Amino acid sequence: MNRPDFISHSRERVRRLELFAEERRLQSELQSERLWLFNPPLAHCSPPSRPLTENTIFWKKKITRKEMVLRSKRMYNQLSEVTRRREEEKRKAENRSNRLKAQLYKKVSESRTVRLRALHTVSGSEVTGQPEGQRAIEECEGVRLRELHTASGE
């Protein structure tokens, strides 16, 4: 095993590996300096006392608990499931209010038709100075108004 060419090639490979390692270290230092120069950290940070590496984390402002909660809430509210559920609830509420409005309209129109029928059936007969038709209308309206108030929950 006395081969001088093998030993010289081995020493050459070791020297090349050392040079590559040195070049990588220099490149990382240069990169960290570039980062420091062109992307300075926050103003209250002092320059690094040791050379920066890719793993160096610049000190940032501490985040308070309140800020973290607000950030989490904002991110949660932006989720597609949450926005979809909120829109669905809004649609359901709108449908409920439309149904209630339709029922109210139906009752009002029924009371109007009852009043008009009462006018046409008993027109002109007077008892104690008030037309009978008018008294029937007021009674119907009073009953309908009470029904409307109980139906709407007032």
Side-chain angles (χ1 to χ4, degrees), residues 127-144:
V127 177
T128 65
Q130 188 178 35
E132 185 67 29
Q134 187 66 29
R135 193 176 346 184
I137 291 171
E138 289 173 358
E139 288 175 9
C140 290
E141 284 180 349
V143 170
R144 292 293 180 190

Side-chain angles (χ1 to χ4, degrees), residues 7 99 105:
I7 294 173
R99 262 188 245 109
Y105 177 78

Side-chain angles (χ1 to χ4, degrees), residues 8-139:
S8 66
H9 285 296
S10 174
R11 285 184 183 151
E12 201 174 301
R13 278 193 307 270
V14 169
R15 249 185 264 124
R16 252 186 304 172
L17 290 172
E18 287 173 352
L19 286 173
F20 284 144
E22 179 70 20
E23 185 179 357
R24 279 195 308 270
R25 189 181 59 75
L26 287 173
Q27 287 297 329
S28 69
E29 287 179 10
L30 289 173
Q31 178 65 23
S32 64
E33 288 177 12
R34 269 186 245 128
L35 284 173
W36 179 257
L37 289 173
F38 297 114
N39 299 326
L42 298 175
H44 67 276
C45 293
S46 62
S49 58
R50 59 184 169 78
L52 297 174
T53 63
E54 291 177 345
N55 297 333
T56 303
I57 299 173
F58 295 113
W59 292 100
K60 295 182 179 180
K61 180 186 136 195
K62 283 189 176 180
I63 298 174
T64 62
R65 180 175 173 80
K66 185 177 181 181
E67 289 171 339
M68 186 64 87
V69 167
L70 289 173
R71 181 175 184 264
S72 298
K73 191 180 288 188
R74 187 180 68 241
M75 290 174 68
Y76 174 77
N77 288 332
Q78 289 176 353
L79 290 174
S80 62
E81 299 90 13
V82 175
T83 55
R84 202 175 317 123
R85 189 187 74 225
R86 196 176 299 124
E87 289 171 1
E88 187 176 321
E89 288 173 358
K90 187 178 177 182
R91 243 190 336 269
K92 285 181 181 179
E94 197 172 307
N95 287 343
R96 273 194 305 270
S97 71
N98 285 344
R99 262 188 245 109
L100 286 173
K101 287 177 186 176
Q103 288 174 354
L104 185 63
Y105 177 78
K106 181 180 175 184
K107 289 189 179 193
V108 168
S109 63
E110 283 177 358
S111 70
R112 284 183 186 156
T113 56
V114 167
R115 187 177 67 202
L116 289 174
R117 284 184 189 153
L119 275 176
H120 289 297
T121 57
V122 188
S123 59
S125 64
E126 291 189 23
V127 177
T128 65
Q130 188 178 35
E132 185 67 29
Q134 187 66 29
R135 193 176 346 184
I137 291 171
E138 289 173 358
E139 288 175 9

